[in-house]
Amino acid sequence: MGRINLWALLMYVTVMMVTEVESSLHRVGGGKYSWTSDVNFSDWSNHERFYTGDWLFFGFDRTRHNILQVNKSSYEQCIDTDYIFNVTRGGRDVFQLLQPKPYYFICGRGYCLNGMKVAVNVLPQPPPSAPITPASTASTVLIPSNAFTIATLSFAFKAFML
Ligand SMILES: *[C@@H]1O[C@H](CO)[C@@H](O)[C@H](O)[C@H]1NC(C)=O
Ligand SMILES: *[C@@H]1O[C@H](CO)[C@@H](O)[C@H](O)[C@H]1NC(C)=O
Ligand SMILES: *[C@@H]1O[C@H](CO)[C@@H](O)[C@H](O)[C@H]1NC(C)=O
């Protein structure tokens, strides 16, 4: 590949990266394994900003706890039957917030009544030019929405440096 083509590729990839929308990963409860009964989840979610495309990360002990997406009334009354979606997998589980609306999650097995429930209000993605300021940097990690682009970019850089 000639030098000119490499430049073109590099420019293309850079433009793609800049125009792409970033999505955030929110660690529910703020820590690595914070889906537990001693966290104030309304306090946590009040200090976060959720946009469409963002991810929730639940870290927990799956022998004790689970995560069920429920509707508002089930959230308020801690009803864990007829849930919308069972998020529980291995104990380090993710859920993508695809729509601008409130989402509700509870822990079944009686833990919801002890406060193991969280509501997140998802906002539409801001326009790309608007600066994105995560409300809490402690529990929010920016993840590139396209890992392939990063790989292509670093490949292009390596090729260019040769
Ligand atoms: C959780 O925090 C909120 C403030 O964000 C407070 O109003 C509420 O009383 C707290 N709940 C508990 C159970 O401590
Ligand atoms: C919420 O879910 C429960 C359990 O599936 C159901 O009985 C109830 O009708 C639902 N409420 C609304 C407002 O959709
Ligand atoms: C949710 O899914 C997990 C893992 O597949 C399973 O072990 C668990 O029984 C399910 N929970 C409910 C309430 O369906």
Side-chain angles (χ1 to χ4, degrees):
M1 220 189 303
R3 182 156 281 213
I4 300 293
N5 286 348
L6 264 174
W7 265 118
L9 175 65
L10 202 56
M11 290 307 290
Y12 171 75
V13 169
T14 309
V15 168
M16 288 293 290
M17 283 189 72
V18 170
T19 52
E20 260 169 29
V21 172
E22 302 255 28
S23 46
S24 298
L25 178 74
H26 305 266
R27 296 180 192 280
V28 177
K32 217 169 185 179
Y33 295 99
S34 294
W35 185 239
T36 61
S37 46
D38 51 8
V39 174
N40 184 334
F41 291 102
S42 36
D43 195 33
W44 173 78
S45 69
N46 283 342
H47 289 89
E48 294 274 319
R49 232 163 224 268
F50 305 93
Y51 293 106
T52 51
D54 283 3
W55 294 82
L56 297 180
F57 173 92
F58 295 87
F60 60 102
D61 176 1
R62 70 181 175 129
T63 63
R64 303 178 65 197
H65 300 138
N66 63 12
I67 309 139
L68 302 169
Q69 186 201 353
V70 296
N71 65 22
K72 189 172 191 238
S73 57
S74 295
Y75 167 83
E76 282 163 354
Q77 298 164 57
C78 285
I79 297 167
D80 65 356
T81 51
D82 291 330
Y83 47 86
I84 298 168
F85 184 70
N86 179 3
V87 184
T88 324
R89 290 291 175 269
R92 285 180 291 172
D93 301 327
V94 292
F95 181 92
Q96 191 172 23
L97 305 162
L98 290 171
Q99 286 165 4
K101 63 170 193 182
Y103 284 82
Y104 304 94
F105 302 90
I106 64 170
C107 181
R109 307 171 185 170
Y111 288 98
C112 175
L113 295 165
N114 292 335
M116 270 186 81
K117 56 179 182 175
V118 66
V120 303
N121 189 31
V122 180
L123 306 167
Q125 273 283 352
S129 56
I132 300 169
T133 40
S136 164
T137 46
S139 64
T140 304
V141 186
L142 281 179
I143 51 170
S145 53
N146 191 343
F148 174 72
T149 313
I150 300 284
T152 315
L153 183 65
S154 69
F155 170 78
F157 262 122
K158 282 195 192 111
F160 184 71
M161 297 311 266
L162 286 176

